[in-house]
Amino acid sequence: MSLTIFLLLQVWTNDVYPKLDNTGYGVVGGRVTGPAVGGFTLGGGYSWLTNQYGALIQDSFACLAPVDDRDAGLTCDTVQSYTLVLPNGTVSEVDSRQPDLFFALKGGLNRFGIVTNITMKLFPQPLQVYGGYIVYPPTSIPAVINATNKFSATNTDPKAQVITSLSYLASAAEAIVLLFYDGPTAPASLAPFLNIPALYKDVSTRSFSSFAKSSPSESSSGTRGAFHTLSTTGYTQPFLQAVYNESTFYGALAALHSGVFIDYDIEPFLKTYGQKTTNSAYPHAKSPLPLNLYFAWTSPTDDAFWRASIQQSVNTLTAVAKREGIYDASLTAYPNYALSTYTGDQLYGSANAAKLRQIKAAVDPNGVMDLTGGFKL
């Protein structure tokens, strides 16, 4: 038997992880500082534990209770129930006994009501993990790309993960790699990253909450910005080189359009994490690899330029993925990363989007939740 945790919609790194330190348990939750339980989980939820337990969906903090000990996929796959305030004002506990709404809340975002808390599964968590981040100069970027490609192709340990960020900040290219191992000692698979000449390292054995707080993910807070994404079936050296080329191309334009930060995040999950998926609005049974793009700028007059540019970059990289044989037309855009112009079909596929529209029409016939903005189904 495993345990569940009842969470309010708090911030993962500030509120949830510190309370789990020294308990021997953890959750399939957010990876960096900033995101909170609610939006993160409702969008699907990729985690440092996704390779082991899948994606997320959970919130709040109060009680522990035994549940069936079955592995899951994303954060949303670990959710046992949601407390949902429906558009008509009634409160409902949504779990597997309400299969349509339960499906819709697993990646379907805020289209169906207001979630006030979530009950999620807990999993065994070592008291100490190994991880942190490394900042590399431009001269080390080719080696970082090579190490990332090798890690993606050869790593088979579900406890080891990296995120490689190819960025342009303050008129200069840089690479940042977040390293994680779900145990106190670095595995051999992370050694190539540790041996590349770096500008700064903050990597050590530490508690999980200390590790999660260490990532420099809020360096562009207070600016305007846009996220976007595409999903691939894997990586190749030419594709990763194309990602770097895109970062430098748009980085060179930044000063002309009030740009302050250009970032492309490569996330080499195992190609098997989708085996743990549950029946979810966001389809991830094929273990898609989401590439995360983030552009930040300061002037409202540059909004149109950067939003068009980030879409053009996705189009360019999609064409590269097709040439490299790592494109699958059935893969959809990860909702938590996608540009707000994307449709329900692009986020969920035509079948899931049609089902979500039917569910929304049943629970929100007057379109109350449309007033919140966001994606249109």
Side-chain angles (χ1 to χ4, degrees):
M1 299 294 285
S2 62
L3 300 174
T4 62
I5 186 172
F6 175 79
L7 295 177
L8 299 174
L9 304 188
Q10 300 170 310
V11 175
W12 293 108
T13 56
N14 295 352
D15 304 304
V16 178
Y17 295 151
K19 293 175 183 176
L20 288 171
D21 272 352
N22 299 314
T23 66
Y25 290 96
V27 292
V28 181
R31 289 176 288 179
V32 296
T33 56
V37 171
F40 178 82
T41 301
L42 291 172
Y46 282 98
S47 169
W48 293 115
L49 303 181
T50 285
N51 283 339
Q52 297 182 73
Y53 307 116
L56 167 69
I57 290 189
Q58 150 178 332
D59 258 305
S60 187
F61 210 106
C63 63
L64 301 176
V67 298
D68 179 67
D69 187 20
R70 186 178 63 82
D71 285 355
L74 297 189
T75 297
C76 61
D77 295 315
T78 73
V79 173
Q80 300 297 295
S81 67
Y82 306 84
T83 301
L84 179 69
V85 181
L86 291 163
N88 65 9
T90 61
V91 179
S92 177
E93 291 297 319
V94 179
D95 56 24
S96 59
R97 293 169 294 184
Q98 297 172 266
D100 284 350
L101 264 180
F102 200 43
F103 162 87
L105 294 176
K106 294 185 176 186
L109 300 168
N110 63 337
R111 302 291 83 195
F112 310 95
I114 299 173
V115 173
T116 61
N117 54 63
I118 301 171
T119 300
M120 300 177 65
K121 291 179 69 174
L122 286 170
F123 296 94
Q125 178 68 62
L127 299 183
Q128 297 281 290
V129 301
Y130 181 86
Y133 72 98
I134 305 174
V135 181
Y136 301 93
T139 53
S140 291
I141 291 177
V144 171
I145 291 173
N146 289 339
T148 302
N149 191 46
K150 179 180 179 181
F151 180 87
S152 179
T154 63
N155 177 56
T156 59
D157 186 345
K159 295 183 178 182
Q161 274 198 47
V162 303
I163 298 176
T164 296
S165 296
L166 301 177
S167 308
Y168 211 89
L169 177 66
S171 301
E174 68 176 13
I176 300 176
V177 175
L178 279 63
L179 306 167
F180 173 73
Y181 189 72
D182 198 24
T185 306
S189 60
L190 298 183
F193 298 100
L194 298 171
N195 294 331
I196 298 171
L199 295 173
Y200 179 79
K201 290 184 180 181
D202 178 12
V203 183
S204 65
T205 298
R206 61 221 302 180
S207 70
F208 187 86
S209 67
S210 171
F211 159 72
K213 288 180 180 179
S214 70
S215 61
S217 65
E218 298 180 79
S219 59
S220 60
S221 61
T223 61
R224 308 177 75 80
F227 287 93
H228 210 356
T229 188
L230 71 149
S231 294
T232 61
T233 60
Y235 301 127
T236 65
Q237 191 79 12
F239 178 78
L240 296 182
Q241 183 63 46
V243 172
Y244 172 63
N245 293 345
E246 288 292 290
S247 72
T248 57
F249 176 81
Y250 288 104
L253 298 176
L256 302 175
H257 298 277
S258 74
V260 295
F261 188 51
I262 303 296
D263 184 53
Y264 292 69
D265 297 334
I266 301 158
E267 306 180 6
F269 294 100
L270 293 181
K271 313 305 189 298
T272 55
Y273 77 82
Q275 296 172 0
K276 303 173 176 63
T277 186
T278 59
N279 188 27
S280 306
Y282 169 55
H284 50 282
K286 290 186 175 181
S287 304
L289 302 182
L291 179 72
N292 182 25
L293 288 69
Y294 176 62
F295 291 2
W297 63 95
T298 58
S299 174
T301 61
D302 289 315
D303 287 358
F305 172 81
W306 285 115
R307 289 176 67 83
S309 294
I310 204 169
Q311 181 62 64
Q312 180 56 54
S313 190
V314 165
N315 295 346
T316 298
L317 291 171
T318 298
V320 176
K322 289 179 179 179
R323 291 198 301 270
E324 290 298 304
I326 56 173
Y327 176 79
D328 181 340
S330 70
L331 300 182
T332 64
Y334 174 47
N336 279 344
Y337 291 169
L339 194 65
S340 60
T341 55
Y342 266 29
T343 65
D345 285 9
Q346 289 171 300
L347 298 175
Y348 306 111
S350 59
N352 279 10
K355 181 176 180 178
L356 290 171
R357 287 191 287 270
Q358 292 176 347
I359 297 169
K360 186 180 187 311
V363 301
D364 188 17
N366 297 317
V368 172
M369 295 308 297
D370 292 338
L371 300 174
T372 64
F375 295 105
K376 302 297 183 183
L377 293 174

